[in-house]
Amino acid sequence: MTDDLPPVYGGRILHVHLDSGTTEVERIDPEDARRFLGGNGFAAKVVHDHVPPESDPFDSENVVAFAVGPMNATPFQSTSRGVVGCISPMTNGFFDSTFGGTFPRAQKTTGFDVVAIHGVADELSYVHVSEDGAEVKPATDLAGYDTYETCSEIRDREGEGYDTHVAAVGPAGENQVRYACLLHESEIREGVAGRGGSGAVLGSKNVKAVAVREGDFEPELAEEGDLRELAIGRMGTLMEETQMLQEYGTSGLVNPINEMGKLGQHNYRSEQTDDEKAEAISGERLKAEYVTEDTTCANCAVKCGKHVTVQSEGVTDAKIPEFESLFATATMTDVFDVERVMKANDLCDRLGMDTISWGVTVAFARECDEAGLLSNVDSPHLDFGDADGLVELARQTANREGFGDRLAEGSFRLADSLDDDAEKYLHGTKGLEFAAHSPRGLKGMSIGYATSTRGGSHHDTRPTPQYDGEHTETTEGTPEFAARNQHFTALGDSLTQCRFVSEGGWGKFVNDRYRDAINYATGWDLSTDEVERIGERVYNLERLINVERGVASRETDTLSHRVMHEPIPDGPAEGMYCPPEELETMLSEYYEFRGWDDDGVPTRDRLDELGMAELAN
C-alpha cells in the first residue's frame, strides 16, 4: 500500500462555475480513492460536499457531477461507462445515472476524474472540457435543438469531429421536464443517462450540453499483464452469458418475462398479456423486421446496442427501444403497434426524456382517465391503446404544451393534483416510477425498490439473480440479498463497468475477480471483504445525503398501493404481492443487517466501522 494516488487515476476534479465562467482544479485525496473508488462514489462525495441539504434540485446550489472510475480506458471490459450525479428533481435526493458510448473514455483521457458543474449560466451555453480545463461557451442559437442535432452542431463548432464527445439536453431539459435526460451520440453508439432528471437540472442551469475533447492522459496500471490476462480469461463466459443481448439487445426480454407473468400491463393492473401482443413488440420481431445494425460502446465486444429503421414513421437508424422502454411505453399503456412505439421512443431520445418515467406517467394518467379522475377535457389522448395519442403526448410533454405540462411533472406530482383515489394507481416509490421488474412477482425487488436510494430504479437491487430463481418467492434472507446486491451495483458504478458485462462475465455479487482486477489496476492489496465495503460505503453515503434532505426514513422506504394491496390477478405469478406487514418485517431485517437504526438512519458506529465517522451527524 502507498499513500500516493495510483496513476490509474487522472487525479483531478474540475469545478466549473457557470456564473463567472471560472474553473478550479481540486486534487483527489488518495484516501477518498480507496474509500469511494471513483464514478458513483466520487459523484456522491462531490454532491454531499457541495450541495446544501435544504436546497431545491433547481436551485443554483445543485451540482451536476460527471465522473469516471479507475478502470476506464484499461483492458478491463466494457468500462466506457460514465456517471452523472446530482440532486434529482424527481426524488429530491441523490441520484446517479450511468451512460455509455465514448464520452466516458474521452473524459478519462483529460485526466479529470470528475467534472463538477456549479451555478447558473447567464444565457443558454455549453461547457467545453479539455485536458487544460473548461470553457463556458454561448449556445443561444441551439435553443430548441434536439439531442442529436445538438451533438452534431457542437462537434462541428469544435472542429474535431468525433474527437469531441457531446452529452446534450433536448427541449425537455430546456423546459425542465422533471425526468429530462441526457443523450450522448458517438460515432459507434448512443449513450443515455436516462433516469432521475439530470437533463432537467442542466436545463435549469442554462446548460445545453457538455462536450469533451480527447486528451493525452493514459492510465498506468500496477500490473497490466495480470489485469489483461484476467480480462481475457473472462471473455468466453462473457460471450456465452450475453448471447441474448448480442442477438436482440435488452428487447429480447419481452417474451420470457411475459411468459413468467411478471411484465406490467395496463398500468400494472395485470402482469401478462397474450402471446400475440407480446410477440408484436418482441426483440425477435424487431430483429427480423427493423434492426439495421449492431452498435457498441467503446471497449465492448457484446454489441447489445441496435439501430432500427421504421420507414412508415420516418425513423432512420434510431436507437432501438430497450426492454424497459417497451414495458413503459407499450405494455403499460396497452399500445402494441410497434412502429408507433418506436416513433414515440425515438421522440423521447431526441427530445431528451426518460422513457420509463414518461411512459409510466402516461399509463398512470390513462388509468386515472378510466377511473373518471381525468377526462377528455384534460386530454383526448388518454385512452389505453391509443397509439397516435402516445406519439402526440411525447411531443406535448417535452414542450410542456397542454396536458403535457402536467405529464412533465411525473406521476407522483400529477397524483397530488387529483382526487385522493389517484394514489392507488401510482407505480413507483420515492417520486420515481418503477422500472419493468415486478415488485409483486420478485421478492428481492420488493425490498430492493423500497430501500433504493434512487426510488423506483432497478439499478440498485438487481432483478437478474431473481430471474435465475434467487429470492424470487421467498423473503427468507432476502433483505441481506438486496443489501449485498446494492453493494455490488454501487461498486460496479464506481469502477465503472457496464452492468450487463459485470453480471454476464464477472459475477452478480462482489467476488475475488473484482478484488483482483482492482488490485492489479491500483497496486492496492484489498481483500474481497474490503472491496465489498467500498460498495457498502458508497451506498451509505447516498443514504446519508437523502437522510439529511429528509427523503430517507422508514416512512419513505415503502411501495405503491397496488404492490402492497392487490395481488397479481392471474397468470403464472397469480397471487403474489408484498403486503405491508411483510415489507415491515423485511425492513427490520434489512436495517439490522446494515447496522442502521429502526428508522433507517446509518448509525455512528456503523459509519465509524466504514471509515466514514466524519460524515456522521
Side-chain angles (χ1 to χ4, degrees), residues 286-437:
L286 294 176
K287 173 76 173 179
E289 299 183 31
Y290 301 102
V291 170
T292 54
E293 63 178 336
D294 297 334
T295 63
T296 186
C297 298
N299 189 33
C300 185
V302 173
K303 295 185 178 179
C304 72
K306 316 291 172 192
H307 278 160
V308 292
T309 291
V310 188
Q311 293 182 350
S312 66
E313 298 292 344
V315 172
T316 303
D317 290 336
K319 182 179 180 295
I320 191 173
E322 302 291 345
F323 166 64
E324 307 292 340
S325 305
L326 292 167
F327 149 80
T329 63
T331 68
M332 285 287 277
T333 66
D334 278 7
V335 174
F336 294 92
D337 179 340
V338 73
E339 296 192 352
R340 296 259 78 188
V341 166
M342 285 191 282
K343 177 65 174 180
N345 276 272
D346 185 49
L347 279 172
C348 285
D349 288 340
R350 292 181 181 279
L351 298 172
M353 294 191 297
D354 170 23
T355 54
I356 301 174
S357 279
W358 175 72
V360 174
T361 299
V362 170
F364 167 75
R366 287 184 167 183
E367 185 161 13
C368 287
D369 173 71
E370 194 174 64
L373 304 180
L374 290 168
S375 71
N376 196 57
V377 174
D378 295 289
S379 172
H381 306 300
L382 298 183
D383 290 337
F384 279 104
D386 181 355
D388 292 338
L390 185 75
V391 173
E392 181 58 27
L393 287 174
R395 295 190 181 96
Q396 289 185 4
T397 304
N399 294 306
R400 283 188 174 269
E401 295 175 356
F403 189 67
D405 187 44
R406 299 173 71 183
L407 292 175
E409 292 294 297
S411 61
F412 283 80
R413 288 173 175 81
L414 178 57
D416 287 343
S417 72
L418 301 174
D419 185 276
D420 289 346
D421 284 346
E423 182 271 338
K424 296 178 181 178
Y425 310 129
L426 286 170
H427 186 59
T429 189
K430 300 177 183 175
L432 189 77
E433 291 74 19
F434 286 133
H437 308 283

Side-chain angles (χ1 to χ4, degrees), residues 61 70 110 118 149 174 250 274 277 375 388 401 490 574 588:
E61 291 88 352
T110 67
H118 304 252
E149 292 168 339
E174 293 178 55
T250 60
D274 61 69
K277 287 182 177 179
S375 71
D388 292 338
E401 295 175 356
E574 181 179 354
S588 294

